[in-house]
Amino acid sequence: MEYLFVFAQSHEEFRVPELLSISELHGFTIGFDRYANVLDKAIKRPFMILMLDKEEYAHILAQRCILIKSVHEFYAEGASYEVLHEQNSRARPQWERYIPDTSFKFCVLGYNFTISQRRQRQIIESFAYMDFLGKIEMKNPEVTLAVFEEYESGRAPDGGLHKDGEFTRVYFGRLVVDGTARSLIGTFDVKKRQYFGNTSMEAEISLLMANQTLASPGKLIYDPFIGTGSMAYTTAYFGAFVYGSDIDGRQMRGKDETPGIVRAAAQYGVASRIMDLCTFDVTNHPWRCGSFFDAIIADPPYGVRAGAKRLGRKNIREDRLQLAIPRPNEPYIPPTKPYELSQLIADLVLLARYLLRSGGRLVFFLPTVSDEYAPPDINAVLCEGMELVANSLQDFGSWGRRLITIKKTAHTDYLPPSFDPVGEAEESRDTHVPAHKDFREKYFQGFKRDSER
């Protein structure tokens, strides 16, 4: 059966990866037959016609996918109502069972345009041939029939405003389910959270990341840069157990006696699923065995608000070494040095290969310079046993961040990465320089100023 999916107008490139992730989680497939060669263009539009084996799969997707507004049993589409009505007549075996005594209502909606009440009535009356005999019920009908007119964004081809009826495509179908998962964006709104920081990830993105990890009851998920815990709450909400760490324990703790992350988790009813929080540097991690996490979720610090750090000393003069010696009766704060982003990402993939079980996923954000980005930027960080699943751009103009999903395909165990600084020298000999290398310096010295002009 074909179903018409109506999407929220945000994060277009995240739609298909989210659909595929939730279908994989629940063990069914989605057919993209109509978009075999044009999927890249299709994801930019608010409507997609997809194949599902069972209607219950539409309910599963709508209850979990953040970007779905509604799903409809598809009856017809066309560039005109003549084409749509002809196609809808051929679909009679799908809707004729609702004719006798089913209460119903019609909805007429426009994308990028507000359709007048007068024309809405004309559109509804044009479906009179369907001969529905049931009661018209506007509040709680048994069947809701929906018409969607799609208008191009911006102005009409002649430079003026779009006129009522000058749509590019029209769709028709029966409402199966509204997208209930979108209400979670309000639930996890950062502004309503008891504990958050200036680097806390926004709710919608945190939920999308959680879906990419395939979070579900019984799974064990690790966030190595947990900060104030934005992704921990959403993954735990979907049933997963979460372990978090950060090089800066103050981010996790906050100033109260109860750690800030635990307080916020209690607000969402998931405190029991926060297994533990530890302060350590991922390059000096305590993991003595691997292959046990189901997913790793991360938003590595890349320097826009906070730069990445690792344990170690910067190059300092010998006459300054005396200042670095610990003093009696004072707490020792280990020194840190900058952690260059491209090296951090390469190390993160190797760490994930060590810690993930076979089939486990690494989901992380990668900032990049828009004009410099190229596919080899991602391919270069992949290693044996790791495969790219999705690469979705959140565009900010001169720069953007990409949600990267990588799957461990190997069935063997790997040794932990060495995090050897020598690797940086070896990487520098590579002819390809990724767009995210030295991202912090590029952001503050170059393209950020260009974008503000």
Side-chain angles (χ1 to χ4, degrees):
M1 293 289 294
E2 287 188 313
Y3 292 86
L4 175 65
F5 283 72
V6 182
F7 293 100
Q9 284 311 287
S10 61
H11 310 300
E12 291 91 347
E13 291 195 15
F14 295 66
R15 294 169 181 166
V16 172
E18 183 182 41
L19 288 171
L20 293 176
S21 293
I22 302 307
S23 64
E24 178 181 334
L25 175 64
H26 290 275
F28 62 88
T29 59
I30 301 174
F32 292 84
D33 299 9
R34 285 175 174 257
Y35 310 103
N37 300 314
V38 293
L39 188 57
D40 290 344
K41 294 182 179 179
I43 61 173
K44 302 294 184 181
R45 302 172 66 183
F47 308 103
M48 291 186 75
I49 301 169
L50 306 176
M51 301 277 295
L52 296 174
D53 290 336
K54 298 179 181 179
E55 189 170 298
E56 69 178 275
Y57 297 155
H59 287 268
I60 291 172
L61 293 170
Q63 290 167 5
R64 181 67 187 262
C65 291
I66 307 304
L67 298 177
I68 291 178
K69 291 184 69 175
S70 58
V71 184
H72 306 254
E73 182 185 10
F74 173 72
Y75 293 155
E77 67 162 334
S80 67
Y81 276 98
E82 290 76 12
V83 175
L84 180 132
H85 287 312
E86 181 181 348
Q87 192 177 127
N88 186 47
S89 296
R90 294 198 299 269
R92 187 180 183 89
Q94 292 178 250
W95 49 259
E96 65 179 355
R97 64 182 182 274
Y98 302 116
I99 290 177
D101 55 3
T102 303
S103 63
F104 70 98
K105 77 171 180 178
F106 265 85
C107 292
V108 180
L109 302 168
Y111 170 72
N112 281 332
F113 192 83
T114 301
I115 304 172
S116 67
Q117 290 288 337
R118 175 174 171 274
R119 190 161 166 277
Q120 286 186 40
R121 287 195 297 271
Q122 292 175 347
I123 293 169
I124 293 172
E125 289 170 0
S126 71
F127 287 89
Y129 63 90
M130 295 180 72
D131 293 326
F132 271 53
L133 302 176
K135 180 183 177 182
I136 298 175
E137 179 62 65
M138 300 306 294
K139 289 187 176 180
N140 296 299
E142 296 174 83
V143 172
T144 298
L145 300 169
V147 179
F148 297 95
E149 290 185 354
E150 181 181 1
Y151 292 75
E152 293 292 345
S153 59
R155 292 185 173 271
D158 61 3
L161 298 176
H162 289 292
K163 296 179 181 178
D164 207 348
E166 292 182 346
F167 53 83
T168 58
R169 207 80 183 160
V170 59
Y171 304 86
F172 179 57
R174 174 186 63 87
L175 175 66
V176 173
V177 61
D178 285 314
T180 56
R182 285 197 64 75
S183 64
L184 294 176
I185 298 173
T187 301
F188 289 97
D189 186 353
V190 175
K191 295 179 181 178
K192 301 176 184 177
R193 191 173 298 164
Q194 291 186 8
Y195 178 68
F196 62 90
N198 63 354
T199 60
S200 295
M201 183 68 73
E202 59 266 34
E204 187 171 19
I205 293 294
S206 298
L207 289 160
L208 289 170
M209 294 181 73
N211 278 344
Q212 286 302 103
T213 66
L214 309 184
S216 58
K219 290 193 174 180
L220 181 58
I221 295 178
Y222 172 44
D223 186 344
F225 306 99
I226 196 168
T228 56
S230 290
M231 283 84 76
Y233 312 132
T234 54
T235 50
Y237 178 84
F238 291 130
F241 292 99
V242 181
Y243 186 96
S245 70
D246 204 291
I247 192 172
D248 186 354
R250 295 171 299 179
Q251 289 277 347
M252 298 181 287
R253 292 191 297 270
K255 297 181 179 180
D256 293 349
E257 182 176 348
T258 303
I261 289 181
V262 175
R263 283 189 286 115
Q267 175 185 351
Y268 300 123
V270 298
S272 62
R273 298 190 190 126
I274 307 298
M275 294 188 65
D276 208 346
L277 304 169
C278 288
T279 302
F280 60 79
D281 174 14
V282 291
T283 66
N284 290 271
H285 63 82
W287 307 116
R288 295 297 175 260
C289 62
S291 301
F292 63 92
F293 283 113
D294 294 287
I296 294 176
I297 188 170
D299 180 32
Y302 41 83
V304 175
R305 294 180 179 172
K309 301 286 186 180
R310 61 180 294 181
L311 294 181
R313 298 187 187 279
K314 302 177 184 178
N315 294 328
I316 57 176
R317 303 193 311 268
E318 290 188 7
D319 60 348
R320 303 278 295 177
L321 286 174
Q322 187 67 26
L323 299 176
I325 299 176
R327 299 178 182 179
N329 302 321
E330 291 188 9
Y332 176 67
I333 300 177
T336 60
K337 62 181 181 179
Y339 199 175
E340 196 278 314
L341 183 62
S342 63
Q343 185 63 45
L344 182 156
I345 297 302
D347 289 343
L348 178 62
V349 174
L350 290 173
L351 179 66
R353 185 177 67 169
Y354 169 59
L355 291 177
L356 290 174
R357 63 169 183 79
S358 180
R361 288 185 168 196
L362 166 64
V363 178
F364 66 96
F365 260 117
L366 176 67
T368 187
V369 182
S370 299
D371 292 340
E372 299 178 14
Y373 170 76
D377 292 357
I378 308 301
N379 297 332
V381 302
L382 297 177
C383 55
E384 177 188 347
M386 302 293 279
E387 177 183 284
L388 181 66
V389 173
N391 175 358
S392 306
L393 173 66
Q394 185 181 14
D395 191 1
F396 298 123
S398 57
W399 74 284
R401 56 182 183 183
R402 292 180 174 273
L403 183 59
I404 308 298
T405 304
I406 297 175
K407 180 179 180 179
K408 181 177 178 180
T409 57
H411 294 277
T412 57
D413 294 335
Y414 288 89
L415 294 174
S418 64
F419 302 104
D420 188 350
V422 174
E424 295 179 274
E426 293 175 350
E427 182 188 43
S428 67
R429 292 197 292 268
D430 193 341
T431 57
H432 178 72
V433 178
H436 55 272
K437 182 173 176 60
D438 298 320
F439 178 82
R440 179 180 172 85
E441 289 73 15
K442 293 176 182 177
Y443 181 86
F444 286 108
Q445 297 176 9
F447 64 85
K448 180 175 184 288
R449 289 197 296 269
D450 294 339
S451 64
E452 293 174 345
R453 290 174 183 170

